[in-house]
């Protein structure tokens, strides 16, 4: 197994229900030998998270910390089957990295087809880099159109370690993520592993994902966590 060099999806105390500071997260990432860390606080729909002013003021944060490249961003909420988001285009422009995902409590669900179209719209949004935990079962989805849209738009679909924790009771997450991996392998679409760390000890923890990679014999070349240059080029190509 190659060395993990990127964790793009993590949260600090600013998200309201996480437990480590930004500097604690960066130090832990450096101690684990990462090259790139994404700090992606929850979007404003989530109770207790940071205000939009937090995102506007992120220019004060050094983008090199403890020897690692720091990307300051947001896990933006997809709100409905149209793919509407809880940050404006201007606000997304403040970010180094933009993740978008469905959280069931703040999503107006529709049919499987409508939900799928909403995520396709988010995938095609040129400001969005990653779709967080599409396989966690927050809404019913058809995964093949998502993978094909991701291939066309150069948007990454995340395989999320946190959603596979038994305490999350995401009973469909394992099978859904296996399907996503098989489709990404079939169509040669890169993916990214997400720790979704809510405390520094969880950074770069993909232990629940590794068995899925083994089961699908998923190629290293399609796992962006191993390839910082390719990942940063993707961010640049998406217009940042």
């Amino acid at each position: 197994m190659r060395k993990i060099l990127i964790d793009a999806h993590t949260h600090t105390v600013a998200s309201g229900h996480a437990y480590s500071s930004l500097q604690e997260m960066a130090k832990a990432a450096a101690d684990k030998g990462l090259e790139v860390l994404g700090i992606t606080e929850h979007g404003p729909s989530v109770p207790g998270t940071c205000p939009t002013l937090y995102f506007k003021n992120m220019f004060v944060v050094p983008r090199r910390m403890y020897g690692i490249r720091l990307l300051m961003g947001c896990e933006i909420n997809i709100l409905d089957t149209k793919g509407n988001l809880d940050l404006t285009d201007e606000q997304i422009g403040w970010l180094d990295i933009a993740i978008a995902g469905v959280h069931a409590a703040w999503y107006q669900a529709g049919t499987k087809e409508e939900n799928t179209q909403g995520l396709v719209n988010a995938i095609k949004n040129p400001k969005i880099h990653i779709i967080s935990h599409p396989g966690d079962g927050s809404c019913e989805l058809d995964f093949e159109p998502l993978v094909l849209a991701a291939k066309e738009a150069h948007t990454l679909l995340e395989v999320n370690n946190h959603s596979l924790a038994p305490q999350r009771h995401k009973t469909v997450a394992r099978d859904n993520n296996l399907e996503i991996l098989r489709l990404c392998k079939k169509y040669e679409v890169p993916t990214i592993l997400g720790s979704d760390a809510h405390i520094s000890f969880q950074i770069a923890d993909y232990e629940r994902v590794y068995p899925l990679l083994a089961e699908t014999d998923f190629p290293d070349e399609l796992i962006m966590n191993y390839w910082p240059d390719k990942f940063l080029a993707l961010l640049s190509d998406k217009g940042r």
Side-chain angles (χ1 to χ4, degrees), residues 27 31 38 46 51 60 74 88 92-93 99 111 114 118 143 158 186 195 200 203-204 207 220:
K27 182 63 164 60
D31 289 346
V46 177
V60 305
C74 181
T88 67
I92 297 173
I99 299 176
T111 65
E114 290 169 339
F143 294 112
E158 178 195 67
K186 175 182 177 180
S195 74
S200 61
I203 286 176
E207 289 304 314
D220 287 352

Side-chain angles (χ1 to χ4, degrees), residues 6-145:
I6 298 169
D7 192 348
H9 180 180
T10 71
H11 300 274
T12 77
V13 290
S15 281
H17 57 275
Y19 301 95
S20 298
S21 71
L22 189 156
Q23 287 170 257
E24 288 169 335
M25 298 292 276
K27 182 63 164 60
D31 289 346
K32 291 187 177 187
L34 268 62
E35 294 184 9
V36 180
L37 176 68
I39 299 290
T40 50
E41 311 297 3
H42 282 288
S45 297
V46 177
T49 194
C50 45
T52 54
L53 178 60
Y54 175 93
F55 301 109
K56 187 173 187 179
N57 199 48
M58 288 191 306
F59 70 89
V60 305
V61 179
R63 294 321 198 254
R64 281 277 172 188
M65 197 177 291
Y66 305 110
I68 65 166
R69 172 77 175 269
L70 195 62
L71 301 173
M72 297 297 294
C74 181
E75 184 184 10
I76 304 161
N77 292 285
I78 301 172
L79 299 174
D80 54 35
T81 59
K82 303 298 183 184
N84 290 314
L85 307 173
D86 68 346
L87 288 184
T88 67
D89 284 353
E90 178 186 3
Q91 291 163 344
I92 297 173
W94 302 334
L95 312 176
D96 302 327
I97 182 170
I99 299 176
V102 170
H103 298 91
W106 304 286
Y107 175 71
Q108 296 179 6
T111 65
K112 183 177 183 178
E113 293 74 18
E114 290 169 339
N115 295 333
T116 300
Q117 186 58 56
L119 260 74
V120 166
N121 292 346
I123 289 167
K124 290 182 176 180
N125 185 326
K127 296 183 179 298
I128 299 302
H129 302 118
I130 297 171
I131 300 298
S132 60
H133 46 70
D136 76 350
S138 289
C139 65
E140 193 177 8
L141 294 166
D142 184 359
F143 294 112
E144 189 164 27

Side-chain angles (χ1 to χ4, degrees), residues 178-205:
L178 282 170
E179 183 176 356
I180 290 168
L181 288 170
R182 289 184 178 115
L183 288 165
C184 285
K185 180 180 177 182
K186 175 182 177 180
Y187 292 110
E188 299 183 328
V189 179
T191 187
I192 191 162
L193 315 182
S195 74
D196 201 353
H198 283 64
I199 192 168
S200 61
F201 304 105
Q202 294 179 332
I203 286 176
D205 180 1

